[in-house]
């Protein structure tokens, strides 16, 4: 689609990204991710009415990975409200996303929902309430994106399971503090399936738009209260890009959540939601071209939470 507002901006960003010299390296611990071309680039913007604009590889499906943590957080928060925050914090970690360090001296309470330990807690609690956390997530993404073909990637899930010792350690450690309800193997299966969802920039921009609509889903029903939507956006801003959250807020100025598949979602409350994808990552696991593109978007449009 074309837009008198966003299309020229997206084309300009794509042209600038094409000339970007260093694009980082794809994640190498999952074969399906390691095989991605770091020069790939796509970007989509969705408006609250469901209109979508895109450029580059914006229809190309990719592995969502940690981006899905935003949606499981929203789905669980909608069910249990503030009780969730007794089990997971809301503070930046300052440590890598799979760190065990803070859990011991914070008694098994993860620092925030977007590091792996925190996401495991959220998935565990959603699974307790639904009986199928990953299935609940997939149904939500299909409904919000309008794409009934979205699905899990079994090869990616199997690959993550084969390299899942650190996540298993996190799960068992938190279970020893009574902060995990389900058997850890069951939780890990749900978590790895959740992270294996494949979707495009268009799909994810649309799926994220409930946060731009202050908690309202695509069908007009309310998932989150306005206050809860604000809470999710706030945690995305402060914790969504791991130990690079300060730099992301400084450069981009939007709530955002990255994944090691190279995707990043972002929200301009009341105006639009975005997804950008380029699989080359920096040393902190964030897309090099993705961060640069979002930086240029907020600079060129003036759209920011600041």
């Amino acid at each position: 689609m074309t837009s008198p507002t966003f299309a020229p901006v997206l084309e300009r960003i794509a042209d600038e990204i094409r000339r970007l010299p260093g694009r980082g390296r794809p994640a190498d611990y999952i074969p399906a991710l390691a095989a991605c071309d770091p020069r790939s680039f796509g970007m989509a913007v969705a408006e609250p009415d469901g209109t979508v604009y895109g450029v580059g590889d914006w229809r190309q499906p990719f592995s969502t990975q940690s981006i899905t943590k935003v949606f499981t957080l929203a789905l669980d928060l909608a069910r249990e409200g503030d009780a969730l925050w007794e089990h997971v914090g809301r503070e930046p970690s300052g440590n890598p996303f799979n760190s065990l360090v803070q859990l011991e001296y914070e008694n098994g309470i993860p620092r925030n929902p977007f590091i792996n330990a925190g996401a495991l807690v959220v998935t565990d609690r959603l699974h307790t309430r639904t009986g199928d956390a990953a299935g609940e997530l997939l149904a939500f993404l299909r409904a919000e994106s309008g794409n009934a073909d979205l699905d899990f990637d079994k090869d990616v899930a199997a690959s993550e399971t084969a390299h899942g010792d650190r996540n298993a350690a996190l799960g068992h450690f938190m279970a020893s503090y009574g902060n995990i309800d389900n058997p850890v193997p069951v939780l890990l299966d749900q978590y790895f399936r959740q992270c294996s969802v494949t979707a495009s920039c268009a799909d994810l921009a649309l799926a994220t738009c409930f946060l731009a609509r202050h908690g309202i889903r695509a069908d007009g029903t309310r998932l989150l209260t306005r206050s809860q939507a604000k809470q999710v956006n706030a945690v995305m801003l402060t914790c969504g890009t791991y130990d690079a959250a300060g730099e992301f807020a400084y450069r981009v100025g939007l709530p955002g959540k990255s994944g090691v598949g190279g995707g990043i979602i972002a929200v301009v409350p009341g105006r639009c939601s975005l997804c950008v994808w380029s699989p080359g990552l920096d040393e902190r696991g964030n897309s090099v071209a993705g961060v640069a593109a979002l930086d240029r978007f907020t600079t060129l449009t003036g759209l920011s939470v600041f």
Side-chain angles (χ1 to χ4, degrees), residues 85-259:
W85 304 118
E86 298 172 15
H87 301 270
V88 61
R90 300 185 294 270
E91 297 294 335
S93 68
N95 284 318
F97 59 87
N98 59 358
S99 174
L100 284 153
V101 174
Q102 288 172 327
L103 278 177
E104 184 159 18
Y105 60 80
E106 293 181 350
N107 300 314
I109 305 295
R111 187 61 71 89
N112 67 68
F114 296 148
I115 55 175
N116 286 16
L120 285 165
V121 168
V122 174
T123 296
D124 177 67
R125 300 188 70 75
L126 182 62
H127 189 64
T128 296
R129 281 152 187 78
T130 63
D132 184 6
E136 195 75 16
L137 164 74
L138 185 62
F140 179 83
L141 292 177
R142 285 174 172 175
E144 296 307 293
S145 68
N147 184 357
D149 294 328
L150 293 185
D151 212 341
F152 306 113
D153 186 318
K154 293 179 181 178
D155 292 337
V156 170
S159 186
E160 296 208 49
T161 300
H163 295 85
D165 290 340
R166 178 64 68 97
N167 285 313
L170 291 167
H172 285 295
F173 193 82
M174 291 186 294
S176 75
Y177 282 95
N179 202 22
I180 296 294
D181 294 334
N182 296 283
V184 172
V186 172
L187 168 58
L188 292 174
D189 176 66
Q190 288 286 321
Y191 181 69
F192 293 141
R193 286 172 67 214
Q194 166 191 320
C195 292
S196 77
V197 172
T198 297
S200 69
C201 290
D203 296 326
L204 290 171
L206 284 167
T208 306
C209 215
F210 76 100
L211 290 171
R213 292 189 292 260
H214 307 293
I216 302 291
R217 295 188 59 167
D219 64 2
T221 61
R222 181 171 287 280
L223 176 70
L224 300 176
T225 67
R226 192 180 182 97
S227 179
Q228 288 172 329
K230 179 197 72 175
Q231 291 168 4
V232 174
N233 281 328
V235 178
M236 286 173 67
L237 179 69
T238 57
C239 308
T241 47
Y242 310 118
D243 47 338
E247 178 71 10
F248 187 83
Y250 176 84
R251 287 185 62 186
V252 176
L254 293 175
K257 182 73 195 81
S258 61

